[in-house]
Amino acid sequence: MAPASIAGIQDQSQPAPANVDFKFGKADLDLLEQVNLLDARFERDGLVLSDEATNALLRHIGESLLPRGLKLENVSWKFRALRDSVPNAFALPNGSIYVSTGLLARMDNESQLAAVLAHELTHVLRRHSYLQNRSNRKKYLTMNVMAAVGAFSPGGVAGAVITIVTAIAPFIVLATMFGYGRDLEREADLKGIDMMIAAEYPPEEMVKALKLLTNDIEGEQIKLFYHDHPELQERIKYLSSYLGARADKVTPQMELNREKNAYFAKTESIMRHDIQLAINAARFRSAVYLAQRLVDFHPNSAENVFWLAESYRTLGPRSPQLTDRELANSAKKDAAKKREKRTPEEEERELLATPAGQENWKTHQQKAEELYLRALSLENPEPTAHRGLGMLYEKLGRTSDAVREYQKYIELVPDAFDGERIQKRIEALRRT
Amino acid sequence: MVSTFTLAKSRRFRIATVVGFVLLVVTMSPLVASAQYLHPKIAKQSTIRNVVILPAKVDIVRDSMKGPEGMAAESELLSTRVENTVAEVLARKNVKRLSAPASSSGEGAQQKYTVADIQAKFDDLLPKVMKKRSDVKKGRFSMGDEVLNLNLDKSADAIVFIRGQGQKLTSGKKTFVLLVGGMPAYLRLMIGIVDARNGEVLLYTDPIFAGDPTTAVDRLRKALEKGFKKLPAGT
């Protein structure tokens, strides 16, 4: 893969890829100090994935996108995966680029991941964080001054207006702030396209990656008053128009970078890790979606089949996909409010009280049992499937079957990290 | 003759003076408040003798006229101080602190992930607890038996989760708050004690105090003592 060069991605009508003339002020250095500590905190809190292969993949793609020989003051490039099932990526101004496992698991090929990294790299290269921070600080000062004026001008027309403005000022100021952010996001998208072309990644994959992210599996993309990114549909529109003839030139390397199988082979273990994180975070529909992708890719992998079984078991009485009605903005807002109040166990109990919930539960438990048994019958059987069967039978009230499966799991994986938990379950079941 | 304009102006001045004085008193007073909710299992007689305190996550910001600024290093120091003060306060109730899994084992990624996942599970549950804190008394909240994956010392009865947020003010912002109003410097903690065997939330308390969170050591201790007042002493 040819490394990108500054000349290769320079466009006369566009600003240079990197803001090399940036002068650091005190506020910028303070921000830098804070983000350096943030890096350490992610690491300490167990949020960074300790998987050298994944971090090496991210590093390889990231470094291939960077302009050759470019040195930026106070930037030291680090590419890391974050253990988070929500698809997301962000860049810290010190050069740390984080991609969530949720995003890694949703991409179809290396080029789409390159699109995400190119976007984030631009934020660092163009010093967007510092510029945004400076702008926020100015606006916040204005907001404080407005509050002071409002407080000392009670009554009267001007006073009332100022009072209202002050009351909703955080939103107005934030909207302006995030509006400013949208310009920077747009710049990152367009510069990202240039970087992709220079590094021989097919640029249209950025649009495809965005389209993949519009698949709102959990019903959580709610249109609010403002967004930190331009809306996905809007981005797809302006990116498609920017691509134009740029997408016509296709090199053999670009074809290679588009390969789905190669990407899946490299990220299979991350995808499995992400399914567990999705289940932990009660994102059961995402877990089923991702596990199905893995099984479609590698149907005879006992581990993949196990994760699909695990996803269906935990999906329980929920429907595997949201309906159009459930995906309406108002319905998503209502669901978000309910999620704030209700625990997943309470949600499950409520659904089980409905005929549709019972039907889903029955279907999913059956599917899960079939898949667990399949995971045990394939080559290199997955012993954790015994634990899954144990949990399934325990819920179905098949106590002796549950104890048997749990015991098999303990026998086959004597040093399992959750051995104590399963042993306690066996003891409790024996007492009943 | 005094004009209506002058009268209105002098009334406005008096109101501003009174409001300013009240705000000054509120800001300067050592305000400590806390609410605590106990699971019926421990409401009368505590079965908690040994606890593991998981790393606290207390985040504070420095609020200036130019907006809030992060205080990552100070937040880390404060987190450790809060952890230790909680341990001291519990020790006075005959509750012993056992070593936390991450510090005791020092092994690879799996142990680190397990602690991170359990902490994340508490973070997911916390907003629901805060929404209806009194439901702790009904035994509504549980983290499930996944807490056993921490593989704690066998004698551990409960796990303590600590979260907190607060702010300190720059001198400019302090003056601004005195004149105009606004949030003073404060620290609010959200503490959950969870059964180490089945994950049930046994106690939830959220002490809060006004004052600079980085220096108000005594207020922190007093707030925590109040926060754990109802917790019966271990035997």
Side-chain angles (χ1 to χ4, degrees):
Chain A
M1 195 182 304
S5 65
I6 299 176
I9 55 175
Q10 191 87 35
D11 180 335
Q12 294 303 315
S13 61
Q14 295 283 323
N19 187 348
V20 283
D21 302 325
F22 185 83
K23 296 275 177 279
F24 279 83
K26 188 186 174 296
D28 306 316
L29 292 171
D30 285 348
L31 180 66
L32 179 68
E33 192 191 330
Q34 294 299 318
V35 297
N36 283 337
L37 290 164
L38 199 62
D39 269 335
R41 179 151 176 191
F42 285 149
E43 192 80 55
R44 192 198 61 194
D45 286 358
L47 296 173
V48 177
L49 189 79
S50 310
D51 182 64
E52 197 30 56
T54 308
N55 292 332
L57 173 70
L58 290 170
R59 196 165 50 241
H60 162 73
I61 301 171
E63 284 172 358
S64 72
L65 289 161
L66 281 168
R68 191 171 23 188
L70 178 74
K71 288 262 184 267
L72 272 183
E73 191 185 355
N74 291 325
V75 169
S76 160
W77 298 107
K78 288 188 196 90
F79 300 89
R80 284 185 273 199
L82 265 192
R83 299 178 64 245
D84 185 357
S85 62
V86 178
N88 196 13
F90 59 90
L92 298 182
N94 60 358
S96 294
I97 314 283
Y98 291 97
V99 183
S100 73
T101 50
L103 193 133
L104 279 160
R106 289 264 208 117
M107 297 291 100
D108 269 347
N109 56 43
E110 196 175 305
S111 298
Q112 291 176 0
L113 185 55
V116 172
L117 290 177
H119 175 101
E120 298 305 331
L121 285 170
T122 308
H123 283 315
V124 182
L125 292 169
R126 301 282 316 149
R127 309 287 197 181
H128 284 173
S129 300
Y130 296 116
L131 298 176
Q132 177 104 28
N133 186 44
R134 286 178 184 180
S135 167
N136 288 359
R137 286 165 65 85
K138 277 182 200 153
K139 280 168 188 164
Y140 200 87
L141 182 63
T142 315
M143 196 172 83
N144 272 323
V145 173
M146 277 161 65
V149 174
F152 285 105
S153 308
V157 177
V161 171
I162 289 173
T163 309
I164 292 166
V165 171
T166 313
I168 58 164
F171 292 104
I172 291 174
V173 175
L174 276 174
T176 324
M177 284 176 187
F178 283 89
Y180 184 74
R182 287 155 79 118
D183 289 345
L184 298 184
E185 296 296 346
R186 190 185 161 97
E187 184 179 65
D189 279 342
L190 302 185
K191 283 261 139 251
I193 290 276
D194 295 340
M195 289 168 89
M196 286 179 77
I197 295 169
E200 291 197 70
Y201 284 106
E204 66 277 11
E205 291 298 328
M206 185 181 268
V207 177
K208 288 185 186 163
L210 289 177
K211 281 183 180 162
L212 276 177
L213 295 175
T214 55
N215 183 5
D216 191 2
I217 301 168
E218 298 291 340
E220 57 197 1
Q221 291 170 11
I222 299 170
K223 284 182 192 131
L224 294 171
F225 184 52
Y226 57 82
H227 266 295
D228 60 340
H229 282 65
E231 276 189 35
L232 285 175
Q233 293 300 342
E234 190 193 323
R235 291 173 77 183
I236 291 169
K237 209 170 146 190
Y238 69 62
L239 276 170
S240 304
S241 105
Y242 182 77
L243 272 174
R246 287 177 173 88
D248 290 350
K249 196 186 158 202
V250 180
T251 65
Q253 185 61 48
M254 282 183 177
E255 287 300 341
L256 280 175
N257 288 338
R258 224 196 297 258
E259 265 198 16
K260 189 171 177 173
N261 282 358
Y263 179 74
F264 269 56
K266 282 178 197 165
T267 54
E268 202 174 3
S269 67
I270 287 312
M271 292 186 188
R272 291 184 196 128
H273 189 94
D274 187 63
I275 294 167
Q276 178 67 74
L277 292 175
I279 292 172
N280 291 351
R283 299 166 61 81
F284 305 112
R285 291 184 180 93
S286 298
V288 171
Y289 170 81
L290 296 170
Q292 189 60 62
R293 265 164 63 99
L294 273 183
V295 170
D296 291 345
F297 163 67
H298 198 168
N300 290 324
S301 154
E303 228 179 317
N304 290 353
V305 173
F306 160 76
W307 281 111
L308 188 57
E310 198 77 343
S311 303
Y312 270 115
R313 179 179 63 77
T314 49
L315 182 67
R318 299 163 191 89
S319 58
Q321 274 141 16
L322 293 171
T323 60
D324 287 345
R325 221 171 125 186
E326 287 168 318
L327 284 168
N329 204 38
S330 58
K332 285 196 275 187
K333 275 186 188 170
D334 289 345
K337 275 184 197 160
K338 276 188 183 169
R339 267 199 301 272
E340 275 173 28
K341 290 181 192 163
R342 230 171 26 178
T343 63
E345 293 77 23
E346 286 166 343
E347 183 200 8
E348 207 163 301
R349 276 200 294 274
E350 270 179 40
L351 285 170
L352 276 171
T354 65
Q358 279 173 13
E359 189 56 41
N360 281 335
W361 189 73
K362 210 173 141 190
T363 312
H364 298 154
Q365 302 306 298
Q366 271 172 4
K367 251 187 195 172
E369 186 178 17
E370 283 165 25
L371 289 161
Y372 281 132
L373 293 171
R374 192 158 165 252
L376 289 168
S377 67
L378 286 165
E379 203 182 337
N380 298 321
E382 176 55 49
T384 322
H386 287 295
R387 183 191 70 187
L389 280 171
M391 288 181 173
L392 187 82
Y393 294 146
E394 186 179 351
K395 205 150 197 179
L396 290 168
R398 291 166 57 179
T399 309
S400 56
D401 290 339
V403 171
R404 189 193 63 226
E405 294 299 334
Y406 281 148
Q407 273 177 329
K408 272 189 198 164
Y409 171 62
I410 298 280
E411 277 165 33
L412 292 170
V413 196
D415 55 351
F417 78 99
D418 55 356
E420 191 188 344
R421 179 187 178 201
I422 300 304
Q423 198 58 52
K424 284 261 167 27
R425 283 194 173 206
I426 294 173
E427 287 162 20
L429 285 169
R430 279 193 177 138
R431 280 197 298 270
T432 56
Chain B
M1 200 176 141
V2 184
S3 73
T4 22
F5 176 75
T6 320
L7 253 180
K9 209 177 164 189
S10 76
R11 195 181 304 139
R12 232 182 279 161
F13 180 75
R14 275 205 306 276
I15 292 169
T17 313
V18 171
V19 169
F21 179 73
V22 170
L23 280 170
L24 179 77
V25 170
V26 167
T27 315
M28 303 308 283
S29 67
L31 178 70
V32 174
S34 69
Q36 49 205 303
Y37 303 89
L38 270 70
H39 190 286
K41 231 161 67 171
I42 62 154
K44 284 178 188 156
Q45 197 190 353
S46 179
T47 48
I48 303 174
R49 288 172 202 92
N50 300 305
V51 295
V52 168
I53 303 177
L54 288 190
K57 291 183 185 177
V58 182
D59 291 302
I60 49 167
V61 291
R62 183 185 294 110
D63 196 13
S64 74
M65 290 299 284
K66 288 184 177 178
E69 291 159 24
M71 295 179 77
E74 293 87 345
S75 295
E76 249 179 64
L77 284 174
L78 183 61
S79 296
T80 310
R81 189 195 301 153
V82 171
E83 260 175 60
N84 293 336
T85 316
V86 167
E88 272 172 37
V89 170
L90 289 176
R92 269 184 235 131
K93 295 225 165 216
N94 296 326
V95 178
K96 195 179 148 196
R97 178 189 191 174
L98 304 174
S99 58
S103 53
S104 62
S105 54
E107 63 235 31
Q110 184 55 54
Q111 183 64 28
K112 210 173 178 180
Y113 292 166
T114 306
V115 175
D117 293 345
I118 296 289
Q119 292 265 38
K121 203 167 169 77
F122 180 75
D123 290 331
D124 284 344
L125 187 67
L126 186 59
K128 293 165 184 89
V129 176
M130 287 169 75
K131 206 121 201 154
K132 207 133 191 240
R133 300 179 293 179
S134 58
D135 277 4
V136 173
K137 293 186 202 168
K138 297 178 190 163
R140 181 186 152 205
F141 303 109
S142 174
M143 291 179 60
D145 65 353
E146 275 143 281
V147 292
L148 288 166
N149 292 348
L150 286 169
N151 293 315
L152 302 175
D153 189 295
K154 296 273 180 264
S155 63
D157 300 309
I159 307 161
V160 183
F161 293 88
I162 305 167
R163 302 289 180 270
Q165 58 193 42
Q167 65 175 20
K168 75 177 279 181
L169 306 179
T170 58
S171 48
K173 188 74 188 204
K174 260 185 215 164
T175 317
F176 181 84
V177 167
L178 283 178
L179 293 173
V180 181
M183 281 295 277
Y186 74 95
L187 179 68
R188 185 189 186 189
L189 298 168
M190 286 79 77
I191 304 174
I193 297 188
V194 167
D195 194 315
R197 293 171 190 98
N198 60 18
E200 278 180 315
V201 177
L202 300 175
L203 178 142
Y204 173 74
T205 180
D206 46 12
I208 182 168
F209 66 86
D212 181 348
T214 56
T215 54
V217 182
D218 279 347
R219 280 188 205 180
L220 170 67
R221 195 183 321 104
K222 274 181 195 156
L224 286 170
E225 278 166 0
K226 272 197 166 185
F228 289 113
K229 201 173 174 183
K230 286 188 192 168
L231 176 73
T235 47

